[in-house]
Amino acid sequence: MDFNIIDAHSHLWLRQNTEVNGLPIRTLTNGRSLFMGEERQMVPPFMIDGRNSAEVFLSNMDYAQVSAAVVTQEFIDGIQNEYLAKVAHKYPDRFFVCGMCEFRKPGYLQQAKELISSGFKAIKIPAHRLFLKEGRVMLNCDEMMEMFHYMEDKNIILSIDLADGNTQVQEMKEIIQECPQLKIAIGHFGMVTTPHWQEQIELARHTHVMIESGGITWLFNSEFYPFAGAVKAIKEAADLVGMDKLMWGSDYPRTITAITYKMSYDFILKTTEMTQEEKALFLGKNAERFYGFKNLISLPYIKNMSE
């Protein structure tokens, strides 16, 4: 390949031990977790201790020739700021990490300021998790807006996953209007398999807003590899906002319980529906520009024993 591949949406943790909506999430054995009332295969079964570490991910990245990755966060994994700060310090050229606050109750503005002062260059909001029993946390509430202005002033990236369809699009429009210089990456490809997903994509018509495809393979899991529906959706999104606004993301490691890590982008390399330049933009060049990656390494292809 004559370009570097960058994963714009992945996750790391050493152990899951948290609650979402009052339901427990706990690491078990053989890659399984207790997940909100049921046992689920959270990571591949060979990860027998449930540790989803940077070193295991790097091994997958090297094998799949992925130069670097953006590590986001999700409430279902627990807040991983302490571990991710260590990862970023140890592997600065391979990982760009996002800090996360406890957005489900007031006080996150101060948490965000502390994360930024400690060196985090992005803040993650799993906004689809903000529909609580006690009420909805609005993205355009006073504390959120104060935080977004602070992030804009400090040139901090907002990484955000939105609820299905256009549920939170109007709130996002207000944020973008109030903070036009705030860099925003919208995840899960706009929840592409839900109605009105295009409205999330269209937010990227604004200068500093990007769309990343973390989770697109689980959203199209019912059709499976080579994910023709996902390719079609990527092409439709490019027609709406331009291919230079779209970034590949794997949602590692959850997606590799069904497919290999390489398969999470290989279907893009193999499709005839996209040009080589479009593939280069989507798989790496856009993320390299948006996140400011430097010193990217080019990884050799290592033949499999089956070849």
Side-chain angles (χ1 to χ4, degrees):
M1 283 176 288
D2 58 356
F3 59 88
N4 294 106
I5 298 177
I6 296 172
D7 187 343
H9 187 122
S10 60
H11 300 273
L12 293 175
W13 65 79
L14 293 183
R15 189 167 186 84
Q16 294 176 308
N17 183 15
T18 188
E19 290 187 359
V20 173
N21 295 332
L23 297 171
I25 300 168
R26 303 282 188 274
T27 293
L28 301 176
T29 58
N30 297 334
R32 298 174 185 175
S33 291
L34 175 64
F35 181 74
M36 301 174 74
E38 63 178 319
E39 191 170 314
R40 298 286 288 272
Q41 194 72 45
M42 184 66 62
V43 295
F46 56 77
M47 295 166 71
I48 57 175
D49 58 3
R51 286 170 61 92
N52 171 35
S53 68
E55 288 72 25
V56 171
F57 190 20
L58 279 171
S59 180
N60 272 288
M61 289 167 63
D62 289 353
Y63 169 73
Q65 297 176 276
V66 173
S67 298
V70 178
V71 183
T72 70
Q73 295 200 55
E74 230 275 28
F75 289 137
I76 65 172
D77 304 325
I79 295 175
Q80 302 289 332
N81 296 325
E82 184 177 353
Y83 178 54
L84 294 187
K86 294 176 182 177
V87 169
H89 178 74
K90 190 173 182 180
Y91 307 106
D93 295 331
R94 302 300 301 274
F95 293 116
F96 181 104
V97 303
C98 300
M100 187 170 71
C101 311
E102 179 47 272
F103 292 107
R104 294 167 293 189
K105 56 186 179 182
Y108 47 81
L109 171 60
Q110 184 57 38
Q111 295 172 34
K113 289 181 177 180
E114 291 171 1
L115 287 173
I116 292 166
S117 67
S118 71
F120 280 94
K121 299 176 182 177
I123 299 293
K124 175 61 182 283
I125 303 179
H128 59 307
R129 303 285 183 194
L130 298 181
F131 296 77
L132 312 175
K133 292 179 181 178
E134 58 271 28
R136 177 174 166 183
V137 179
M138 300 296 290
L139 296 174
N140 56 354
C141 70
D142 290 345
E143 187 173 8
M144 283 283 191
M145 294 305 292
E146 188 174 350
M147 182 184 73
F148 295 141
H149 278 292
Y150 186 84
M151 291 171 62
E152 182 184 36
D153 290 342
K154 298 292 186 180
N155 196 31
I156 301 299
I157 293 172
L158 169 63
S159 173
I160 189 165
D161 298 333
L162 300 177
D164 293 0
N166 59 4
T167 308
Q168 294 169 307
V169 166
Q170 186 55 45
E171 293 161 64
M172 290 301 300
K173 288 181 178 178
E174 292 184 33
I175 293 164
I176 294 165
Q177 183 177 7
E178 280 283 315
C179 306
Q181 300 303 312
L182 177 64
K183 296 177 70 174
I184 302 172
I186 297 173
H188 295 165
F189 217 69
M191 291 303 294
V192 60
T193 52
T194 63
H196 310 295
W197 66 276
Q198 294 92 341
E199 293 187 42
Q200 288 193 37
I201 302 299
E202 288 171 350
L203 291 170
R205 290 175 174 170
H206 295 276
T207 303
H208 298 292
V209 181
M210 300 285 286
I211 304 294
E212 47 96 340
S213 72
I216 198 169
T217 57
W218 61 255
L219 288 165
F220 283 95
N221 182 63
S222 61
E223 70 174 35
F224 207 65
Y225 187 90
F227 305 108
V231 173
K232 182 180 177 182
I234 292 165
K235 292 287 290 181
E236 182 176 350
D239 288 341
L240 291 172
V241 298
M243 192 62 76
D244 62 328
K245 288 298 203 142
L246 310 178
M247 304 182 290
W248 169 67
S250 71
D251 208 13
Y252 175 98
R254 281 180 273 271
T255 48
I256 66 166
T257 56
I259 58 176
T260 68
Y261 183 50
K262 188 171 183 178
M263 286 169 71
S264 65
Y265 75 80
D266 185 63
F267 73 99
I268 298 295
L269 286 181
K270 286 185 167 61
T271 183
T272 59
E273 301 299 313
M274 296 168 63
T275 67
Q276 286 302 112
E277 180 56 26
E278 287 174 331
K279 293 174 184 181
L281 289 171
F282 183 71
L283 290 175
K285 289 183 178 179
N286 293 336
E288 182 178 0
R289 181 190 74 249
F290 184 74
Y291 289 102
F293 280 104
K294 308 292 184 186
N295 306 315
L296 289 172
I297 63 171
S298 295
L299 294 154
Y301 177 73
I302 305 299
K303 290 180 67 174
N304 294 320
M305 283 296 293
S306 58
E307 291 182 82

